[in-house]
Amino acid sequence: MKAKELYRVLETELKPWLAERGFKKRRVSRLTFQRLVDGKYHSVWFQCDKYGWDPYAGGEFFVNFTVSESPDPESVARREERLNFFLTDIE
């Protein structure tokens, strides 16, 4: 599976859940969902290894969370964490 296909699967599976929570898909180079809360932009974006997902060896992708005063998830003034920040060792 190529990166583009993995992004398609992630979007198909996660978009309804994120939409229920007020996130909208942004038209940017990576798969990004965003909502505005109290004047701050909350973004969830996905970063995939350019080689995608191998059915035998797996692959890498990251789920990133950003809170910023700018709608640009790559703005300088932001707080950013990856999914593993919110999980315990067991999770």
PDB file of all heavy atoms in Angstrom, residues 54-87:
ATOM      1  N   ASP A  54       3.735  -1.592   4.232  1.00  0.00           N
ATOM      2  CA  ASP A  54       4.032  -2.896   3.650  1.00  0.00           C
ATOM      3  C   ASP A  54       3.232  -3.954   4.412  1.00  0.00           C
ATOM      4  O   ASP A  54       3.294  -3.994   5.642  1.00  0.00           O
ATOM      5  CB  ASP A  54       5.535  -3.175   3.773  1.00  0.00           C
ATOM      6  CG  ASP A  54       5.917  -4.485   3.131  1.00  0.00           C
ATOM      7  OD1 ASP A  54       5.618  -5.547   3.740  1.00  0.00           O
ATOM      8  OD2 ASP A  54       6.496  -4.455   2.037  1.00  0.00           O
ATOM      9  N   PRO A  55       2.489  -4.827   3.725  1.00  0.00           N
ATOM     10  CA  PRO A  55       1.647  -5.799   4.418  1.00  0.00           C
ATOM     11  C   PRO A  55       2.438  -6.813   5.244  1.00  0.00           C
ATOM     12  O   PRO A  55       1.892  -7.433   6.144  1.00  0.00           O
ATOM     13  CB  PRO A  55       0.876  -6.499   3.288  1.00  0.00           C
ATOM     14  CG  PRO A  55       1.628  -6.215   2.045  1.00  0.00           C
ATOM     15  CD  PRO A  55       2.368  -4.923   2.272  1.00  0.00           C
ATOM     16  N   TYR A  56       3.726  -6.959   4.970  1.00  0.00           N
ATOM     17  CA  TYR A  56       4.541  -7.922   5.708  1.00  0.00           C
ATOM     18  C   TYR A  56       5.439  -7.248   6.750  1.00  0.00           C
ATOM     19  O   TYR A  56       5.629  -7.768   7.832  1.00  0.00           O
ATOM     20  CB  TYR A  56       5.408  -8.728   4.735  1.00  0.00           C
ATOM     21  CG  TYR A  56       4.579  -9.446   3.709  1.00  0.00           C
ATOM     22  CD1 TYR A  56       4.511  -8.986   2.400  1.00  0.00           C
ATOM     23  CD2 TYR A  56       3.829 -10.566   4.053  1.00  0.00           C
ATOM     24  CE1 TYR A  56       3.731  -9.626   1.452  1.00  0.00           C
ATOM     25  CE2 TYR A  56       3.034 -11.211   3.114  1.00  0.00           C
ATOM     26  CZ  TYR A  56       2.996 -10.736   1.823  1.00  0.00           C
ATOM     27  OH  TYR A  56       2.215 -11.368   0.897  1.00  0.00           O
ATOM     28  N   ALA A  57       5.967  -6.103   6.419  1.00  0.00           N
ATOM     29  CA  ALA A  57       6.908  -5.426   7.318  1.00  0.00           C
ATOM     30  C   ALA A  57       6.277  -4.263   8.076  1.00  0.00           C
ATOM     31  O   ALA A  57       6.883  -3.708   8.970  1.00  0.00           O
ATOM     32  CB  ALA A  57       8.112  -4.910   6.522  1.00  0.00           C
ATOM     33  N   GLY A  58       5.055  -3.883   7.701  1.00  0.00           N
ATOM     34  CA  GLY A  58       4.413  -2.735   8.344  1.00  0.00           C
ATOM     35  C   GLY A  58       4.941  -1.437   7.772  1.00  0.00           C
ATOM     36  O   GLY A  58       5.310  -1.361   6.608  1.00  0.00           O
ATOM     37  N   GLY A  59       4.996  -0.436   8.582  1.00  0.00           N
ATOM     38  CA  GLY A  59       5.464   0.868   8.145  1.00  0.00           C
ATOM     39  C   GLY A  59       5.376   1.847   9.305  1.00  0.00           C
ATOM     40  O   GLY A  59       5.176   1.438  10.443  1.00  0.00           O
ATOM     41  N   GLU A  60       5.515   3.100   8.997  1.00  0.00           N
ATOM     42  CA  GLU A  60       5.453   4.123  10.037  1.00  0.00           C
ATOM     43  C   GLU A  60       4.491   5.219   9.632  1.00  0.00           C
ATOM     44  O   GLU A  60       4.465   5.632   8.470  1.00  0.00           O
ATOM     45  CB  GLU A  60       6.830   4.768  10.225  1.00  0.00           C
ATOM     46  CG  GLU A  60       7.886   3.851  10.755  1.00  0.00           C
ATOM     47  CD  GLU A  60       9.216   4.585  10.917  1.00  0.00           C
ATOM     48  OE1 GLU A  60       9.389   5.672  10.354  1.00  0.00           O
ATOM     49  OE2 GLU A  60      10.064   4.044  11.624  1.00  0.00           O
ATOM     50  N   PHE A  61       3.684   5.635  10.589  1.00  0.00           N
ATOM     51  CA  PHE A  61       2.940   6.866  10.411  1.00  0.00           C
ATOM     52  C   PHE A  61       2.709   7.458  11.786  1.00  0.00           C
ATOM     53  O   PHE A  61       2.710   6.758  12.793  1.00  0.00           O
ATOM     54  CB  PHE A  61       1.643   6.687   9.610  1.00  0.00           C
ATOM     55  CG  PHE A  61       0.503   6.049  10.349  1.00  0.00           C
ATOM     56  CD1 PHE A  61      -0.416   6.829  11.039  1.00  0.00           C
ATOM     57  CD2 PHE A  61       0.337   4.689  10.332  1.00  0.00           C
ATOM     58  CE1 PHE A  61      -1.480   6.246  11.706  1.00  0.00           C
ATOM     59  CE2 PHE A  61      -0.730   4.098  10.989  1.00  0.00           C
ATOM     60  CZ  PHE A  61      -1.631   4.880  11.674  1.00  0.00           C
ATOM     61  N   PHE A  62       2.579   8.752  11.830  1.00  0.00           N
ATOM     62  CA  PHE A  62       2.417   9.468  13.082  1.00  0.00           C
ATOM     63  C   PHE A  62       1.104  10.223  13.063  1.00  0.00           C
ATOM     64  O   PHE A  62       0.658  10.691  12.019  1.00  0.00           O
ATOM     65  CB  PHE A  62       3.560  10.478  13.282  1.00  0.00           C
ATOM     66  CG  PHE A  62       4.910   9.844  13.336  1.00  0.00           C
ATOM     67  CD1 PHE A  62       5.698   9.791  12.194  1.00  0.00           C
ATOM     68  CD2 PHE A  62       5.390   9.283  14.498  1.00  0.00           C
ATOM     69  CE1 PHE A  62       6.950   9.195  12.219  1.00  0.00           C
ATOM     70  CE2 PHE A  62       6.638   8.681  14.538  1.00  0.00           C
ATOM     71  CZ  PHE A  62       7.415   8.644  13.402  1.00  0.00           C
ATOM     72  N   VAL A  63       0.492  10.333  14.239  1.00  0.00           N
ATOM     73  CA  VAL A  63      -0.681  11.172  14.426  1.00  0.00           C
ATOM     74  C   VAL A  63      -0.207  12.359  15.255  1.00  0.00           C
ATOM     75  O   VAL A  63       0.339  12.189  16.340  1.00  0.00           O
ATOM     76  CB  VAL A  63      -1.812  10.431  15.163  1.00  0.00           C
ATOM     77  CG1 VAL A  63      -3.029  11.322  15.316  1.00  0.00           C
ATOM     78  CG2 VAL A  63      -2.163   9.140  14.448  1.00  0.00           C
ATOM     79  N   ASN A  64      -0.373  13.552  14.721  1.00  0.00           N
ATOM     80  CA  ASN A  64       0.118  14.768  15.363  1.00  0.00           C
ATOM     81  C   ASN A  64      -1.051  15.655  15.775  1.00  0.00           C
ATOM     82  O   ASN A  64      -2.035  15.768  15.046  1.00  0.00           O
ATOM     83  CB  ASN A  64       1.007  15.541  14.393  1.00  0.00           C
ATOM     84  CG  ASN A  64       2.168  14.705  13.905  1.00  0.00           C
ATOM     85  OD1 ASN A  64       3.144  14.511  14.593  1.00  0.00           O
ATOM     86  ND2 ASN A  64       2.046  14.173  12.701  1.00  0.00           N
ATOM     87  N   PHE A  65      -0.915  16.297  16.923  1.00  0.00           N
ATOM     88  CA  PHE A  65      -1.924  17.217  17.437  1.00  0.00           C
ATOM     89  C   PHE A  65      -1.278  18.580  17.615  1.00  0.00           C
ATOM     90  O   PHE A  65      -0.214  18.682  18.222  1.00  0.00           O
ATOM     91  CB  PHE A  65      -2.458  16.720  18.782  1.00  0.00           C
ATOM     92  CG  PHE A  65      -3.081  15.359  18.703  1.00  0.00           C
ATOM     93  CD1 PHE A  65      -2.322  14.221  18.924  1.00  0.00           C
ATOM     94  CD2 PHE A  65      -4.416  15.210  18.400  1.00  0.00           C
ATOM     95  CE1 PHE A  65      -2.890  12.962  18.854  1.00  0.00           C
ATOM     96  CE2 PHE A  65      -4.995  13.954  18.324  1.00  0.00           C
ATOM     97  CZ  PHE A  65      -4.229  12.826  18.547  1.00  0.00           C
ATOM     98  N   THR A  66      -1.919  19.608  17.098  1.00  0.00           N
ATOM     99  CA  THR A  66      -1.372  20.959  17.162  1.00  0.00           C
ATOM    100  C   THR A  66      -2.450  21.912  17.662  1.00  0.00           C
ATOM    101  O   THR A  66      -3.596  21.830  17.248  1.00  0.00           O
ATOM    102  CB  THR A  66      -0.912  21.427  15.763  1.00  0.00           C
ATOM    103  OG1 THR A  66       0.000  20.478  15.233  1.00  0.00           O
ATOM    104  CG2 THR A  66      -0.238  22.769  15.821  1.00  0.00           C
ATOM    105  N   VAL A  67      -2.054  22.822  18.556  1.00  0.00           N
ATOM    106  CA  VAL A  67      -2.918  23.923  18.987  1.00  0.00           C
ATOM    107  C   VAL A  67      -2.166  25.201  18.653  1.00  0.00           C
ATOM    108  O   VAL A  67      -1.013  25.372  19.046  1.00  0.00           O
ATOM    109  CB  VAL A  67      -3.231  23.857  20.489  1.00  0.00           C
ATOM    110  CG1 VAL A  67      -4.055  25.062  20.924  1.00  0.00           C
ATOM    111  CG2 VAL A  67      -3.952  22.564  20.832  1.00  0.00           C
ATOM    112  N   SER A  68      -2.823  26.093  17.902  1.00  0.00           N
ATOM    113  CA  SER A  68      -2.147  27.276  17.403  1.00  0.00           C
ATOM    114  C   SER A  68      -3.131  28.424  17.258  1.00  0.00           C
ATOM    115  O   SER A  68      -4.339  28.216  17.136  1.00  0.00           O
ATOM    116  CB  SER A  68      -1.512  26.959  16.046  1.00  0.00           C
ATOM    117  OG  SER A  68      -0.957  28.100  15.460  1.00  0.00           O
ATOM    118  N   GLU A  69      -2.606  29.627  17.218  1.00  0.00           N
ATOM    119  CA  GLU A  69      -3.437  30.791  16.950  1.00  0.00           C
ATOM    120  C   GLU A  69      -3.581  31.029  15.453  1.00  0.00           C
ATOM    121  O   GLU A  69      -4.339  31.886  15.033  1.00  0.00           O
ATOM    122  CB  GLU A  69      -2.851  32.022  17.644  1.00  0.00           C
ATOM    123  CG  GLU A  69      -2.947  31.908  19.159  1.00  0.00           C
ATOM    124  CD  GLU A  69      -2.401  33.103  19.900  1.00  0.00           C
ATOM    125  OE1 GLU A  69      -2.072  34.118  19.260  1.00  0.00           O
ATOM    126  OE2 GLU A  69      -2.306  33.003  21.125  1.00  0.00           O
ATOM    127  N   SER A  70      -2.870  30.258  14.662  1.00  0.00           N
ATOM    128  CA  SER A  70      -2.905  30.370  13.204  1.00  0.00           C
ATOM    129  C   SER A  70      -3.536  29.108  12.616  1.00  0.00           C
ATOM    130  O   SER A  70      -3.321  28.011  13.132  1.00  0.00           O
ATOM    131  CB  SER A  70      -1.484  30.526  12.672  1.00  0.00           C
ATOM    132  OG  SER A  70      -1.448  30.321  11.281  1.00  0.00           O
ATOM    133  N   PRO A  71      -4.290  29.231  11.534  1.00  0.00           N
ATOM    134  CA  PRO A  71      -4.840  28.026  10.910  1.00  0.00           C
ATOM    135  C   PRO A  71      -3.778  27.151  10.246  1.00  0.00           C
ATOM    136  O   PRO A  71      -4.045  26.012   9.893  1.00  0.00           O
ATOM    137  CB  PRO A  71      -5.829  28.575   9.881  1.00  0.00           C
ATOM    138  CG  PRO A  71      -5.372  29.961   9.596  1.00  0.00           C
ATOM    139  CD  PRO A  71      -4.716  30.449  10.857  1.00  0.00           C
ATOM    140  N   ASP A  72      -2.564  27.668  10.098  1.00  0.00           N
ATOM    141  CA  ASP A  72      -1.473  26.906   9.501  1.00  0.00           C
ATOM    142  C   ASP A  72      -0.897  25.964  10.557  1.00  0.00           C
ATOM    143  O   ASP A  72      -0.283  26.425  11.516  1.00  0.00           O
ATOM    144  CB  ASP A  72      -0.394  27.857   8.988  1.00  0.00           C
ATOM    145  CG  ASP A  72       0.806  27.140   8.404  1.00  0.00           C
ATOM    146  OD1 ASP A  72       0.765  25.889   8.272  1.00  0.00           O
ATOM    147  OD2 ASP A  72       1.783  27.814   8.067  1.00  0.00           O
ATOM    148  N   PRO A  73      -1.063  24.639  10.410  1.00  0.00           N
ATOM    149  CA  PRO A  73      -0.561  23.711  11.422  1.00  0.00           C
ATOM    150  C   PRO A  73       0.957  23.748  11.584  1.00  0.00           C
ATOM    151  O   PRO A  73       1.486  23.233  12.553  1.00  0.00           O
ATOM    152  CB  PRO A  73      -1.008  22.336  10.932  1.00  0.00           C
ATOM    153  CG  PRO A  73      -1.782  22.530   9.705  1.00  0.00           C
ATOM    154  CD  PRO A  73      -1.746  23.965   9.322  1.00  0.00           C
ATOM    155  N   GLU A  74       1.650  24.378  10.649  1.00  0.00           N
ATOM    156  CA  GLU A  74       3.109  24.453  10.750  1.00  0.00           C
ATOM    157  C   GLU A  74       3.581  25.822  11.236  1.00  0.00           C
ATOM    158  O   GLU A  74       4.754  26.160  11.115  1.00  0.00           O
ATOM    159  CB  GLU A  74       3.731  24.111   9.400  1.00  0.00           C
ATOM    160  CG  GLU A  74       3.450  22.678   8.996  1.00  0.00           C
ATOM    161  CD  GLU A  74       4.146  22.300   7.716  1.00  0.00           C
ATOM    162  OE1 GLU A  74       5.162  22.921   7.370  1.00  0.00           O
ATOM    163  OE2 GLU A  74       3.663  21.381   7.053  1.00  0.00           O
ATOM    164  N   SER A  75       2.665  26.614  11.798  1.00  0.00           N
ATOM    165  CA  SER A  75       3.049  27.947  12.271  1.00  0.00           C
ATOM    166  C   SER A  75       4.047  27.832  13.423  1.00  0.00           C
ATOM    167  O   SER A  75       4.120  26.820  14.109  1.00  0.00           O
ATOM    168  CB  SER A  75       1.817  28.732  12.725  1.00  0.00           C
ATOM    169  OG  SER A  75       1.251  28.122  13.864  1.00  0.00           O
ATOM    170  N   VAL A  76       4.801  28.877  13.630  1.00  0.00           N
ATOM    171  CA  VAL A  76       5.861  28.869  14.640  1.00  0.00           C
ATOM    172  C   VAL A  76       5.282  28.861  16.045  1.00  0.00           C
ATOM    173  O   VAL A  76       5.742  28.127  16.911  1.00  0.00           O
ATOM    174  CB  VAL A  76       6.800  30.084  14.436  1.00  0.00           C
ATOM    175  CG1 VAL A  76       7.837  30.145  15.531  1.00  0.00           C
ATOM    176  CG2 VAL A  76       7.461  30.001  13.071  1.00  0.00           C
ATOM    177  N   ALA A  77       4.270  29.669  16.320  1.00  0.00           N
ATOM    178  CA  ALA A  77       3.690  29.783  17.658  1.00  0.00           C
ATOM    179  C   ALA A  77       2.626  28.708  17.840  1.00  0.00           C
ATOM    180  O   ALA A  77       1.464  28.904  17.555  1.00  0.00           O
ATOM    181  CB  ALA A  77       3.090  31.166  17.856  1.00  0.00           C
ATOM    182  N   ARG A  78       3.064  27.536  18.312  1.00  0.00           N
ATOM    183  CA  ARG A  78       2.118  26.441  18.478  1.00  0.00           C
ATOM    184  C   ARG A  78       2.615  25.462  19.530  1.00  0.00           C
ATOM    185  O   ARG A  78       3.773  25.454  19.911  1.00  0.00           O
ATOM    186  CB  ARG A  78       1.916  25.708  17.163  1.00  0.00           C
ATOM    187  CG  ARG A  78       3.137  24.906  16.731  1.00  0.00           C
ATOM    188  CD  ARG A  78       2.887  24.146  15.435  1.00  0.00           C
ATOM    189  NE  ARG A  78       3.888  23.178  15.168  1.00  0.00           N
ATOM    190  CZ  ARG A  78       5.002  23.402  14.477  1.00  0.00           C
ATOM    191  NH1 ARG A  78       5.256  24.600  14.017  1.00  0.00           N
ATOM    192  NH2 ARG A  78       5.863  22.449  14.257  1.00  0.00           N
ATOM    193  N   ARG A  79       1.706  24.644  19.980  1.00  0.00           N
ATOM    194  CA  ARG A  79       2.070  23.491  20.793  1.00  0.00           C
ATOM    195  C   ARG A  79       1.747  22.269  19.958  1.00  0.00           C
ATOM    196  O   ARG A  79       0.669  22.169  19.380  1.00  0.00           O
ATOM    197  CB  ARG A  79       1.266  23.446  22.082  1.00  0.00           C
ATOM    198  CG  ARG A  79       1.615  22.192  22.868  1.00  0.00           C
ATOM    199  CD  ARG A  79       0.999  22.122  24.204  1.00  0.00           C
ATOM    200  NE  ARG A  79       1.399  20.858  24.814  1.00  0.00           N
ATOM    201  CZ  ARG A  79       0.753  20.306  25.794  1.00  0.00           C
ATOM    202  NH1 ARG A  79      -0.298  20.887  26.306  1.00  0.00           N
ATOM    203  NH2 ARG A  79       1.160  19.161  26.289  1.00  0.00           N
ATOM    204  N   GLU A  80       2.676  21.346  19.907  1.00  0.00           N
ATOM    205  CA  GLU A  80       2.486  20.154  19.080  1.00  0.00           C
ATOM    206  C   GLU A  80       2.915  18.921  19.859  1.00  0.00           C
ATOM    207  O   GLU A  80       3.948  18.931  20.525  1.00  0.00           O
ATOM    208  CB  GLU A  80       3.304  20.271  17.798  1.00  0.00           C
ATOM    209  CG  GLU A  80       3.161  19.092  16.885  1.00  0.00           C
ATOM    210  CD  GLU A  80       3.911  19.295  15.583  1.00  0.00           C
ATOM    211  OE1 GLU A  80       5.037  19.808  15.624  1.00  0.00           O
ATOM    212  OE2 GLU A  80       3.354  18.943  14.550  1.00  0.00           O
ATOM    213  N   GLU A  81       2.094  17.885  19.789  1.00  0.00           N
ATOM    214  CA  GLU A  81       2.410  16.602  20.426  1.00  0.00           C
ATOM    215  C   GLU A  81       2.023  15.483  19.482  1.00  0.00           C
ATOM    216  O   GLU A  81       1.082  15.610  18.702  1.00  0.00           O
ATOM    217  CB  GLU A  81       1.635  16.433  21.738  1.00  0.00           C
ATOM    218  CG  GLU A  81       1.895  17.483  22.788  1.00  0.00           C
ATOM    219  CD  GLU A  81       3.285  17.450  23.391  1.00  0.00           C
ATOM    220  OE1 GLU A  81       4.042  16.480  23.143  1.00  0.00           O
ATOM    221  OE2 GLU A  81       3.629  18.400  24.099  1.00  0.00           O
ATOM    222  N   ARG A  82       2.728  14.378  19.582  1.00  0.00           N
ATOM    223  CA  ARG A  82       2.356  13.181  18.820  1.00  0.00           C
ATOM    224  C   ARG A  82       1.481  12.304  19.697  1.00  0.00           C
ATOM    225  O   ARG A  82       1.453  12.448  20.917  1.00  0.00           O
ATOM    226  CB  ARG A  82       3.604  12.426  18.376  1.00  0.00           C
ATOM    227  CG  ARG A  82       4.318  13.181  17.272  1.00  0.00           C
ATOM    228  CD  ARG A  82       5.232  12.297  16.504  1.00  0.00           C
ATOM    229  NE  ARG A  82       5.614  12.958  15.265  1.00  0.00           N
ATOM    230  CZ  ARG A  82       6.775  12.775  14.679  1.00  0.00           C
ATOM    231  NH1 ARG A  82       7.643  11.942  15.192  1.00  0.00           N
ATOM    232  NH2 ARG A  82       7.051  13.405  13.558  1.00  0.00           N
ATOM    233  N   LEU A  83       0.769  11.391  19.088  1.00  0.00           N
ATOM    234  CA  LEU A  83      -0.194  10.549  19.783  1.00  0.00           C
ATOM    235  C   LEU A  83       0.418   9.859  20.996  1.00  0.00           C
ATOM    236  O   LEU A  83      -0.202   9.772  22.051  1.00  0.00           O
ATOM    237  CB  LEU A  83      -0.789   9.513  18.815  1.00  0.00           C
ATOM    238  CG  LEU A  83      -1.806   8.540  19.395  1.00  0.00           C
ATOM    239  CD1 LEU A  83      -3.019   9.277  19.947  1.00  0.00           C
ATOM    240  CD2 LEU A  83      -2.224   7.533  18.361  1.00  0.00           C
ATOM    241  N   ASN A  84       1.636   9.374  20.885  1.00  0.00           N
ATOM    242  CA  ASN A  84       2.254   8.637  21.978  1.00  0.00           C
ATOM    243  C   ASN A  84       2.378   9.476  23.257  1.00  0.00           C
ATOM    244  O   ASN A  84       2.432   8.929  24.348  1.00  0.00           O
ATOM    245  CB  ASN A  84       3.602   8.048  21.574  1.00  0.00           C
ATOM    246  CG  ASN A  84       4.595   9.110  21.142  1.00  0.00           C
ATOM    247  OD1 ASN A  84       4.228  10.064  20.471  1.00  0.00           O
ATOM    248  ND2 ASN A  84       5.845   8.942  21.513  1.00  0.00           N
ATOM    249  N   PHE A  85       2.375  10.808  23.164  1.00  0.00           N
ATOM    250  CA  PHE A  85       2.432  11.687  24.325  1.00  0.00           C
ATOM    251  C   PHE A  85       1.219  11.462  25.229  1.00  0.00           C
ATOM    252  O   PHE A  85       1.311  11.571  26.446  1.00  0.00           O
ATOM    253  CB  PHE A  85       2.488  13.157  23.866  1.00  0.00           C
ATOM    254  CG  PHE A  85       2.432  14.147  24.992  1.00  0.00           C
ATOM    255  CD1 PHE A  85       3.572  14.477  25.713  1.00  0.00           C
ATOM    256  CD2 PHE A  85       1.241  14.773  25.323  1.00  0.00           C
ATOM    257  CE1 PHE A  85       3.527  15.391  26.751  1.00  0.00           C
ATOM    258  CE2 PHE A  85       1.181  15.686  26.365  1.00  0.00           C
ATOM    259  CZ  PHE A  85       2.327  16.004  27.068  1.00  0.00           C
ATOM    260  N   PHE A  86       0.072  11.140  24.634  1.00  0.00           N
ATOM    261  CA  PHE A  86      -1.173  11.003  25.373  1.00  0.00           C
ATOM    262  C   PHE A  86      -1.445   9.577  25.869  1.00  0.00           C
ATOM    263  O   PHE A  86      -2.439   9.338  26.531  1.00  0.00           O
ATOM    264  CB  PHE A  86      -2.344  11.463  24.496  1.00  0.00           C
ATOM    265  CG  PHE A  86      -2.205  12.897  24.045  1.00  0.00           C
ATOM    266  CD1 PHE A  86      -1.752  13.189  22.775  1.00  0.00           C
ATOM    267  CD2 PHE A  86      -2.502  13.937  24.905  1.00  0.00           C
ATOM    268  CE1 PHE A  86      -1.609  14.495  22.353  1.00  0.00           C
ATOM    269  CE2 PHE A  86      -2.356  15.242  24.498  1.00  0.00           C
ATOM    270  CZ  PHE A  86      -1.906  15.537  23.223  1.00  0.00           C
ATOM    271  N   LEU A  87      -0.583   8.633  25.525  1.00  0.00           N
ATOM    272  CA  LEU A  87      -0.793   7.234  25.867  1.00  0.00           C
ATOM    273  C   LEU A  87       0.132   6.785  26.984  1.00  0.00           C
ATOM    274  O   LEU A  87       1.248   7.275  27.120  1.00  0.00           O
ATOM    275  CB  LEU A  87      -0.554   6.346  24.633  1.00  0.00           C
ATOM    276  CG  LEU A  87      -1.414   6.653  23.407  1.00  0.00           C
ATOM    277  CD1 LEU A  87      -0.978   5.776  22.244  1.00  0.00           C
ATOM    278  CD2 LEU A  87      -2.874   6.435  23.718  1.00  0.00           C
TER     279      LEU A  87
END
